[in-house]
Amino acid sequence: MKTNPASWSRGRLIAVIAVGLVLLLLVGVGVYGLITGPRQPDDPSPDPAPTVTAPGESEPSTSGPPRVIPSHDPDAFARNVAEALFGWDTGSGLMPLDYSAAILDVGDPSGTEQAGLASDIAAYLPTREAWIELRQYATTQHLVIDDSFVPEAWDQAVEQAQPGQLPPGATAVTIEGTRHREGVWNGEPVTSEHSVSFTVFLACPPPAPQFRTGLCHVLRLSQLDNPLR
């Protein structure tokens, strides 16, 4: 029995767009560093590759760098981080490192958790190679948040922490939502939806010069689909 090459190719490319991020579920992000200590990335992040386009496509448009909207409110800030983490466009002219930098920019100002946070973020974003592949199909992604809350397990973590181990204003917010991914194959839209959950560990300290006048900042991220409850 012969396989239709066009049907096989279409199925493969749809899978690249629709299921690509599911591979991230197999990547461990490590344990929250405030209790166990920050984890250093295994390898330094590679430099961004040159922009490429598929045959017949125009060059991708270049937009400004992404940013996380600052806030003094833990829940609002965690939601802003979540939307920035999952919101990207391969046709923007940016690379995964640009989106990672936006979150690191609102990371721990002391630098203690930055290495661990960078490793956490990398597990949520496509690799450089996957990004270049997804760009050929004009792939974009965004997150629709269904719920956000301080998990009960956070109280236990606070009780177990040694004095001075947690920074001022430290808290955790678990996010539950749906990741939407869209792309185009042979002029036809291809979409996928996937439920996701994770925890944003953050701190919203009282106003002080060393704490960015009281604005919240990101400490770490839980493993994807393995949040605190």
Side-chain angles (χ1 to χ4, degrees), residues 4-49:
N4 187 325
S7 176
W8 181 89
S9 178
R10 174 181 173 82
R12 175 180 175 273
L13 295 173
I14 290 176
V16 170
I17 295 175
V19 191
L21 194 64
V22 175
L23 295 177
L24 296 179
L25 299 179
L26 303 179
V27 181
V29 198
V31 182
Y32 176 46
L34 291 182
I35 303 299
T36 63
R39 180 171 68 88
Q40 297 293 333
D42 295 331
D43 297 302
S45 298
D47 293 331

Side-chain angles (χ1 to χ4, degrees), residues 119-211:
S119 179
D120 296 344
I121 298 169
Y124 280 77
L125 294 171
T127 63
R128 183 185 66 183
E129 292 74 17
W131 187 270
I132 293 172
E133 179 77 6
L134 291 170
R135 178 181 287 169
Q136 299 180 57
Y137 314 112
T139 311
T140 64
Q141 179 179 281
H142 70 278
L143 177 69
V144 174
I145 298 175
D146 300 319
D147 195 13
S148 59
F149 54 91
V150 177
E152 294 181 4
W154 176 248
D155 292 334
Q156 300 176 9
V158 173
E159 292 176 359
Q160 296 172 4
Q162 297 298 318
Q165 194 169 15
L166 296 176
T171 188
V173 176
T174 292
I175 303 288
E176 296 178 344
T178 304
R179 182 214 76 197
H180 296 264
R181 184 174 285 192
E182 299 85 28
V184 176
W185 165 241
N186 279 349
E188 297 181 6
V190 179
T191 64
S192 72
E193 297 180 2
H194 182 73
S195 297
V196 296
S197 59
F198 55 98
T199 299
V200 180
F201 299 93
L202 63 151
C204 300
Q210 68 270 33
F211 296 133

